């Protein structure tokens, strides 16, 4: 009987210490922050192509990815994108290349992109955006290529990363616009 009482008392003491340790130990309170690319508005509408599909061949979903030493990829638990990279860039490109209301939709070309990098190089403090694009004109002519953009972050923070990625997305828009104009000239 004394052994049973001692065992119960010991069990109660251990549970009390365990529970009070969990309850009384200060917990770090983390706020999850969501980031977006800077929104841009196109100066004029175009009638060359429509943004068709963006695919994502990166491990990035909504969480920000940091490439560290020895090519280690770290996912940020508390800083995220408001959408997946493919949705972010598709929306960004649709805003950059709005189709003219007078455009013949059936005669428009298409733009398809596959994202191959959407991350922050921690050592160099750079946003890295890489994508493969395929542009087809309304007449069937094609242009394709691989693009890589590295933009320095103003500060080594998730907000600095988002700003640098916005500049990289803008540089991608400019390169695609050049490719579309060149393709249109060759029609």
């Amino acid at each position: 009987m004394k052994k049973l009482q001692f065992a119960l008392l010991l069990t109660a003491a251990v549970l009390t210490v365990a529970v009070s340790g969990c309850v009384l130990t200060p917990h770090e309170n983390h706020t999850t922050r969501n980031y977006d690319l800077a929104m841009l508005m196109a100066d004029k509408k175009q009638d060359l192509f429509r943004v068709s599909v963006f695919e994502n061949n990166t491990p990035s979903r909504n969480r920000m990815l940091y490439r560290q030493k020895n090519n280690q990829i770290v996912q940020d638990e508390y800083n995220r994108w408001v959408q997946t990279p493919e949705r972010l860039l598709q929306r960004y490109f649709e805003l950059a290349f709005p189709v003219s209301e007078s455009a013949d939709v059936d005669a428009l070309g298409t733009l398809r992109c596959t994202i191959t990098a959407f991350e922050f190089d921690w050592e160099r403090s750079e946003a890295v955006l890489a994508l493969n694009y395929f542009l087809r004109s309304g007449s069937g002519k094609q242009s394709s290529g691989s693009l890589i953009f590295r933009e320095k972050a103003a500060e080594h923070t998730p907000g600095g990363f988002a700003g640098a990625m916005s500049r990289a997305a803008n540089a991608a828009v400019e390169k695609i616009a050049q490719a579309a104009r060149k393709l249109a000239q060759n029609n």
Side-chain angles (χ1 to χ4, degrees):
M1 182 71 173
K2 285 189 176 190
K3 287 183 180 181
L4 180 62
Q5 287 176 339
F6 179 73
L8 288 173
L9 183 61
L10 184 61
T11 303
V14 168
L15 286 174
T16 302
V17 169
V19 169
S20 66
C22 291
V23 173
L24 300 177
T25 303
H27 291 280
E28 202 171 319
N29 190 10
H30 291 285
T31 302
T32 300
R33 290 186 170 80
N34 294 297
Y35 293 88
D36 196 0
L37 297 175
M39 288 294 97
L40 74 131
M41 301 308 282
D43 293 334
K44 53 186 167 182
K45 297 185 178 196
Q46 53 90 24
D47 60 358
L48 300 174
F49 66 91
R50 62 184 168 79
V51 177
S52 176
V53 175
F54 269 74
E55 296 176 340
N56 185 5
N57 280 354
T58 73
S60 179
R61 297 298 174 250
N62 284 58
R63 292 183 179 158
M64 289 185 167
L65 292 183
Y66 306 127
R67 183 175 295 273
Q68 296 182 337
K69 288 181 182 176
N70 300 321
N71 290 319
Q72 179 184 9
I73 300 292
V74 176
Q75 290 185 356
D76 192 326
E77 296 291 322
Y78 303 107
N79 296 293
R80 303 169 186 223
W81 296 105
V82 294
Q83 294 177 307
T84 59
E86 66 273 19
R87 293 296 306 141
L88 283 172
L89 286 175
Q90 183 160 358
R91 180 172 46 101
Y92 195 86
F93 274 63
E94 286 170 349
L95 289 171
F97 299 112
V99 175
S100 172
E101 293 85 9
S102 62
D104 179 4
V105 178
D106 295 331
L108 286 176
T110 56
L111 169 67
R112 299 176 60 96
C113 290
T114 301
I115 304 163
T116 56
F118 196 88
E119 61 194 35
F120 188 64
D121 184 327
W122 197 260
E123 296 297 311
R124 295 181 177 165
S125 193
E126 295 176 331
V128 180
L129 171 62
L131 50 87
N132 297 326
Y133 74 91
F134 179 77
L135 191 57
R136 179 182 305 222
S137 72
S139 66
K141 293 202 180 210
Q142 302 171 4
S143 173
S144 62
S146 296
L147 305 171
I148 299 173
F149 304 94
R150 292 181 159 272
E151 291 289 333
K152 285 281 187 195
E155 52 189 28
H156 207 82
T157 63
F161 173 26
M165 188 58 78
S166 294
R167 290 190 304 281
N170 194 56
V173 162
E174 290 175 14
K175 283 289 189 185
I176 298 292
Q178 289 173 2
R181 286 191 296 270
K182 185 176 179 180
L183 188 61
Q185 291 172 353
N186 294 334
N187 271 339

